[in-house]
Amino acid sequence: MEKIIQGDQLEKIKHFIQQKYYDSAVKESCAILEEVLKKIYKQALSELPIEDRTALLESEAKIGNNNKSYTKFGFGELVGLFNRSRLLDRWAKYTDNNMGIIRSISLDYIVELRNRLTHDRSAMTEEVTQSEAQLVYDCLMNWLGFIGYKDMTTGVEKAFAPGEKAEPVPGKNTYERVKQTITSGYDPTVKPERRRLKKQSAYSEKHDADSFAYAIKRMEGRTGLIGLDIGCADGYVTELRFKPEYGFAKVIGLDRNQELIDKLNTEDHGIFHYHAMDLESRDFDDEMEDLMEEEGVEKFDLMFCAFVLHHLKNPVRLLMRLRKYLRKGGALIIRGVDDGGMIAFDDGGLVEEILDDCTRQAYVSDRFHGRKFFPWLRGIGFTDIKMSYQVDDTTTMDPEEREDFFHYYFDFRLQYTLRSVQRHPENPEHLKAHEKMQANLDKLEEMFLKPDFYFCTLTVTAIAIK
């Protein structure tokens, strides 16, 4: 049976990293990745619908100038072929599989790194770092794991099995399940969510202020700043965070909700300009370039994205797109949470049970995404990244504050089960899950009001300087 890995290649790469032969580790990893990409492309030509195969062949002809087959392509050309043909998107649509794990590290960045080693002689004095070598190796392992590791033929064929959506695996923990697919049913227009957004703003005000202060200090007194708020909702947080005294001349707010944006644009908001945009649209770049031309913006100095990425099916792609529009020396601030950082005592495992039940729902966001910020940003090319954390707990809260804290972190979770009931009222299992969630949340609320109950949460922020 044909193998991706010959002999002890993986052990050899790990040995290279341990012995600090980082350039060799990168070259060996890329050589295996090249074979993986060729096999996947070959399988795509065999399995995908005719219209997709036609698009793949057209892309292959353009990259090969009509005289070179993909079998003769180098690593960079193969990555270009995958990008140009949108092969991962077509693969995901055909198989109904989530491609997040193999999109988590940018192949374009790895191409640049490999080219630096093999083609760009002027950069040969710039050594490959341990983190870069490890990043390429991790990317390789992600791809191998996704298609079935060493078994080339069976693995790739299985990865293209149509319509086999991954189901939660018994014995897997909550985090392992939630990684598989993100289908968020988030709606910022409902009143409870609008109230929660204001609470969120209050909880994060100082943390965000520190992040903005750090980013602006790194810009060394630059004035006339242009800001971008990705996922601005009703603009409430936007106008609190992007303060004119920081030196902002114009701030653009983006949100997919046309209703909210239309309402905002009935009034004059001074330096704040709001636009509706689907952050995951295939036409995002065209729409962004049109918007920037309309607003007279060449590049952005500071981008802010709070509690947005966990709703997206492909957050890494959005970050890659945004990076292109960030000025050299500019800052990208992303903020989110990680439910894996929750600590409770003594709840008898109730919090863990609630989180576990949440991840079983069909319309759930990735509330375990805070831990992914650094690898996401590092993977798309940022090297100057500062991580910061906000820890909130109940130790100094009075009863009213405890109750408010509970509602902020748990009320919205009932919507996960309610959406399933509303979409599939004929299924009694959905109603049963909803009633269980409601009962568990009622129990937890009672616990929050006890003075000796302990609960702690983690907010994660990453600030990347381009």
Side-chain angles (χ1 to χ4, degrees):
M1 186 175 291
E2 189 176 6
K3 303 283 186 180
I4 291 176
I5 309 300
Q6 301 299 326
D8 60 350
Q9 280 180 288
L10 289 180
E11 290 301 319
K12 184 166 68 173
I13 295 171
K14 291 196 307 190
H15 176 73
F16 283 150
I17 294 175
Q18 291 169 357
Q19 297 299 315
K20 301 183 180 181
Y21 301 144
Y22 303 134
D23 55 346
S24 298
V26 169
K27 290 177 182 178
E28 287 288 331
S29 297
C30 287
I32 299 174
L33 268 172
E34 186 174 313
E35 291 304 311
V36 171
L37 297 182
K38 286 180 180 179
K39 284 294 179 183
I40 288 173
Y41 182 76
K42 179 181 179 181
Q43 192 68 22
L45 289 177
S46 170
E47 297 289 341
L48 293 183
I50 184 64
E51 60 271 20
D52 290 326
R53 282 181 275 163
T54 300
L56 263 58
L57 289 170
E58 289 175 352
S59 298
E60 179 186 345
K62 288 179 181 178
I63 292 176
N65 294 318
N66 293 307
N67 61 14
K68 185 165 72 169
S69 164
Y70 78 92
T71 59
K72 303 297 184 182
F73 283 2
F75 183 58
E77 291 172 313
L78 286 167
V79 172
L81 176 58
F82 271 58
N83 291 341
R84 187 183 190 109
S85 65
R86 302 199 321 276
L87 194 152
L88 292 184
D89 292 333
R90 300 176 191 280
W91 182 1
K93 183 179 179 181
Y94 177 67
T95 62
D96 205 16
N97 281 331
N98 187 302
M99 299 292 167
I101 190 169
I102 58 174
R103 281 173 160 154
S104 61
I105 301 177
S106 168
L107 288 178
D108 292 315
Y109 173 72
I110 294 175
V111 169
E112 292 177 10
L113 183 59
R114 183 178 180 276
N115 287 345
R116 196 175 87 203
L117 286 172
T118 57
H119 302 306
D120 188 0
R121 292 295 172 184
S122 64
M124 287 301 288
T125 56
E126 186 179 349
E127 295 183 354
V128 175
T129 65
Q130 179 181 0
S131 61
E132 288 173 329
Q134 188 67 49
L135 182 78
V136 179
Y137 178 73
D138 290 344
C139 177
L140 168 63
M141 296 304 293
N142 277 347
W143 279 83
L144 293 178
F146 192 79
I147 65 172
Y149 199 42
K150 297 183 181 181
D151 187 345
M152 174 74 84
T153 304
T154 305
V156 175
E157 289 175 358
K158 183 178 179 181
F160 274 88
E164 293 185 359
K165 182 177 287 187
E167 294 295 332
V169 180
K172 291 277 188 177
N173 62 32
T174 302
Y175 173 59
E176 287 299 318
R177 278 204 304 278
V178 81
K179 286 195 302 183
Q180 293 179 11
T181 182
I182 302 301
T183 306
S184 176
Y186 177 71
D187 182 359
T189 63
V190 297
K191 280 187 177 180
E193 187 56 27
R194 293 206 304 270
R195 288 196 299 268
R196 201 177 73 86
L197 286 174
K198 291 187 177 181
K199 290 179 184 178
Q200 183 184 99
S201 173
Y203 279 125
S204 304
E205 184 172 2
K206 183 181 184 305
H207 187 60
D208 285 346
D210 291 342
S211 298
F212 271 69
Y214 170 82
I216 290 168
K217 183 178 180 181
R218 291 293 304 272
M219 295 179 199
E220 299 179 344
R222 186 186 301 167
T223 59
L225 301 176
I226 307 297
L228 178 69
D229 188 6
I230 304 106
C232 64
D234 63 1
Y236 177 79
V237 175
T238 310
E239 298 184 21
L240 286 175
R241 298 302 187 258
F242 289 85
K243 298 177 182 179
E245 54 264 37
Y246 286 158
F248 287 102
K250 179 179 287 189
V251 178
I252 308 296
L254 300 181
D255 199 275
R256 70 176 183 178
N257 193 294
Q258 187 71 55
E259 179 184 344
L260 286 177
I261 298 301
D262 288 343
K263 186 176 180 180
L264 280 168
N265 287 331
T266 60
E267 301 175 351
D268 182 5
H269 290 265
I271 67 169
F272 298 96
H273 300 209
Y274 296 99
H275 295 262
M277 187 178 295
D278 181 355
L279 300 176
E280 295 198 284
S281 167
R282 295 185 187 277
D283 301 320
F284 177 86
D285 285 317
D286 291 338
E287 294 175 15
M288 177 62 85
E289 289 168 9
D290 290 344
L291 182 154
M292 293 170 69
E293 183 177 355
E294 176 187 339
E295 292 284 357
V297 173
E298 181 180 337
K299 293 279 187 179
F300 293 97
D301 297 287
L302 191 150
M303 296 177 173
F304 180 59
C305 184
F307 286 95
V308 172
L309 298 175
H310 63 305
H311 294 296
L312 304 182
K313 292 182 178 179
N314 192 344
V316 176
R317 180 168 57 190
L318 175 64
L319 292 173
M320 288 177 63
R321 287 169 164 174
L322 291 172
R323 190 175 188 272
K324 295 187 296 187
Y325 305 110
L326 185 64
R327 192 184 306 278
K328 183 67 174 176
L332 169 62
I333 302 173
I334 57 177
R335 171 165 56 82
V337 296
D338 198 305
D339 282 353
M342 283 188 177
I343 302 173
F345 190 83
D346 182 15
D347 65 331
L350 186 58
V351 168
E352 185 175 352
E353 183 178 342
I354 290 171
L355 297 181
D356 191 57
D357 286 343
C358 283
T359 63
R360 297 177 187 274
Q361 304 308 309
Y363 306 97
V364 60
S365 61
D366 180 6
R367 301 263 320 170
F368 292 79
H369 69 302
R371 67 191 69 187
K372 304 173 187 177
F373 285 175
F374 180 83
W376 281 350
L377 293 169
R378 190 66 183 84
I380 65 172
F382 285 103
T383 57
D384 188 346
I385 305 168
K386 174 183 172 64
M387 300 296 299
S388 64
Y389 309 92
Q390 175 182 336
V391 177
D392 294 299
D393 64 49
T394 55
T395 56
T396 60
M397 294 182 180
D398 62 31
E400 289 184 359
E401 290 170 330
R402 282 170 169 262
E403 185 171 13
D404 191 58
F405 197 38
F406 163 79
H407 288 303
Y408 171 56
Y409 270 100
F410 289 96
D411 272 2
F412 69 91
R413 299 177 193 275
L414 192 60
Q415 295 298 315
Y416 291 158
T417 53
L418 180 59
R419 289 180 195 125
S420 295
V421 172
Q422 292 171 337
R423 286 173 168 85
H424 306 284
E426 74 288 350
N427 189 333
E429 292 301 315
H430 292 316
L431 180 59
K432 183 179 177 181
H434 181 61
E435 290 173 345
K436 178 188 176 186
M437 180 66 71
Q438 196 160 26
N440 280 343
L441 290 176
D442 287 344
K443 289 179 190 176
L444 187 61
E445 184 176 9
E446 291 180 10
M447 292 181 182
F448 262 77
L449 296 178
K450 296 178 181 179
D452 60 344
F453 177 70
Y454 176 76
F455 180 74
C456 174
T457 63
L458 179 69
T459 300
V460 183
T461 294
I463 310 166
I465 309 297
K466 184 174 180 181

